[in-house]
Amino acid sequence: MQIAPRADVARFSDALERLGAGDAKILLAVSGGADSLAMLLLAHAAIPAQIVAATVDHKLRPEASAEADYVAKLCAGRRTPHRILRPETPITGNIQSAARTARYELLMQAADETGCAFIATAHHGDDQIETVLMRLARGSGVDGLSAIRPRNGRIIRPLLEFSKSELEEICNTAEIAPVCDPSNDDTDYDRVVMRQWLASTPHPFNVARVGRTAAAVYDASTALQWMTEQLAATRVTQIEQLIQCDANDLPHELQRRLALLALAHVDPDLHPRGDTVERMIADLAMGKTSTVGNILCEGGNVWRFSPAPPRRSV
């Protein structure tokens, strides 16, 4: 049986150790594409007794059921436990967003049922490059530019230091043919457009350098979040439904974060767009009053946030 090259297995093991998952039981999200099949091969070579594989069939494509069966057969040949996960209700609305939500809900449930501490996804270094550039094009701030995080709670991404071509070569070496998802060529998705642009244009971006940048921005984001929590302990107070925020003398980024924290205290379900938040902060700094969603925001030396009074019926 062909296995992944020893050096790649060592890199994968090192990544798991850095993520705090070296000795843990891990659920592998394996779709059947080259990236996730390479992750299956690496994990089987590195920690065969610690893995369970799962394939999500969203029931959105007729080929998906056969692809899930294909992964099940590959896992059976390696004596790796495998589950096929299907949502109980059809995916509707924003298909991409709803499918992602359903996928992670199913994976979380399967991880709980199989005693897995972590869920590993096959996001890789080229995904990171695409994400950083997409976020840059959208005008994202520090949090957005930290892009794909190596670990987010129970979700780990041990392939971020591998390139797409390296993962494809691992599959080729093992003589395993990955399945092809037609959505990967659908230019209705921003990621596909960015991927095709990168493939057709000489550029200086590589996995290692972009990975270092994303890690540095993530560290900055974490530091800012820590600082915000420290400031909130003394600068954000609540009196019944009124939130008061003493942020007028702080740098803009900390003002923004404390203001978002205050808004979330009033309405946790409110997620205002960046330009809306910037206009609100400008108004508050000038002592003006504005409304964000259903929240009344009053400026001055101390900013005040409270539920907006109900509108009068005409």
Side-chain angles (χ1 to χ4, degrees), residues 11-23:
R11 290 170 61 196
F12 182 80
S13 296
D14 289 345
L16 291 180
E17 290 294 336
R18 289 194 299 274
L19 292 167
D23 297 323

Side-chain angles (χ1 to χ4, degrees), residues 2 5 18 40 63 75 86 91 102 123 160 199 239-240 244 267 272 281 291 298 301:
Q2 296 286 344
R18 289 194 299 274
L40 173 64
E63 307 88 352
C75 289
R86 295 184 173 94
I91 304 294
H123 294 91
L160 285 179
I239 305 172
E240 295 182 350
Q244 296 188 135
D267 183 359
I281 292 175
T291 301
E298 302 172 86
N301 291 330

Side-chain angles (χ1 to χ4, degrees), residues 236 238 240-244 258-273 277 280 291-297 304-308:
V236 177
Q238 181 170 1
E240 295 182 350
Q241 291 184 296
L242 172 66
I243 303 296
Q244 296 188 135
L258 284 174
L260 286 171
L261 185 65
L263 291 172
H265 273 303
V266 180
D267 183 359
D269 296 324
L270 181 67
H271 303 287
R273 295 173 61 89
V277 175
M280 175 196 70
T291 301
V292 177
N294 61 346
I295 299 176
L296 183 67
C297 312
R304 296 157 58 91
F305 303 84
S306 59

Side-chain angles (χ1 to χ4, degrees), residues 142 145-146 209-223:
V142 174
L145 290 175
S146 62
R209 288 197 294 263
V210 173
R212 286 196 297 271
T213 296
V217 178
Y218 173 65
D219 286 344
S221 173
T222 302

